[in-house]
Structures are given as structure tokens and as C-alpha cells.
Amino acid sequence: LREHRAPIGQRAVKIADRIDNLRSLGNSSAEFRRKQCNETAVMYLPLTDLAIQRAPDEYKENVRELAVLLNVTLHDAQGMK
């Protein structure tokens, strides 16, 4: 994936954008929500791990917080009816 070679700032923006996308799934079909959640689990969660590993020390805690927020938001989105 191209994202795996992107600078930390670009990765952080991608993760934040995905969090925003997951938060706005409320009126989407169950099929679309399922697709988005699966894509997040397969592509974006590993991206957060990589971002944490590669982040300069001064940004690691911020990236960890984004990773936690993504996990919580994904869990919430998976529970939407």
C-alpha cells in the first residue's frame, strides 16, 4: 500500500479522516457500514500500528491516541443498527 510509505503527517490525516467517515455512517445501509468497518479493520488498523512504529518520539503519544480513537469508533460503528 502507498500509505505504508507515506510520511507520518499523511498517515495521521488518513486515520483521522477514517474516524470521521466511521462517525458519519449512521444513515448508511447495513451493507455499506459492514464494508467500511471491514476495510477499516483490514487496512487502517495495521496502518495505525505502522504509524506508531515510525512516528518520531515527540508524536508517538498523539498517534497512539489516534489509534485508540479509531478502535473505539470502529467498535461503535460495528454496533450501529
Side-chain angles (χ1 to χ4, degrees):
L1 293 172
R2 264 190 327 220
E3 289 84 7
H4 291 282
R5 294 188 303 260
I8 187 63
Q10 288 178 359
R11 286 190 203 116
V13 168
K14 285 190 163 297
I15 295 165
D17 185 52
R18 179 48 62 129
I19 291 167
D20 184 58
N21 291 344
L22 289 173
R23 287 178 171 169
S24 64
L25 289 175
N27 293 327
S28 301
S29 70
E31 180 180 334
F32 183 74
R33 284 194 309 269
R34 204 171 17 259
K35 176 186 166 288
Q36 290 295 100
C37 289
N38 184 53
E39 184 178 279
T40 300
V42 170
M43 294 179 62
Y44 286 83
L45 290 181
L47 182 63
T48 62
D49 293 337
L50 185 63
I52 292 167
Q53 290 172 10
R54 294 190 179 173
D57 289 343
E58 64 266 24
Y59 297 116
K60 281 193 189 293
E61 188 56 34
N62 291 342
V63 177
R64 281 188 191 101
E65 289 175 14
L66 267 179
V68 169
L69 189 54
L70 180 62
N71 275 290
V72 169
T73 306
L74 175 59
H75 178 74
D76 290 347
Q78 288 170 329
M80 287 182 189
K81 300 286 178 187

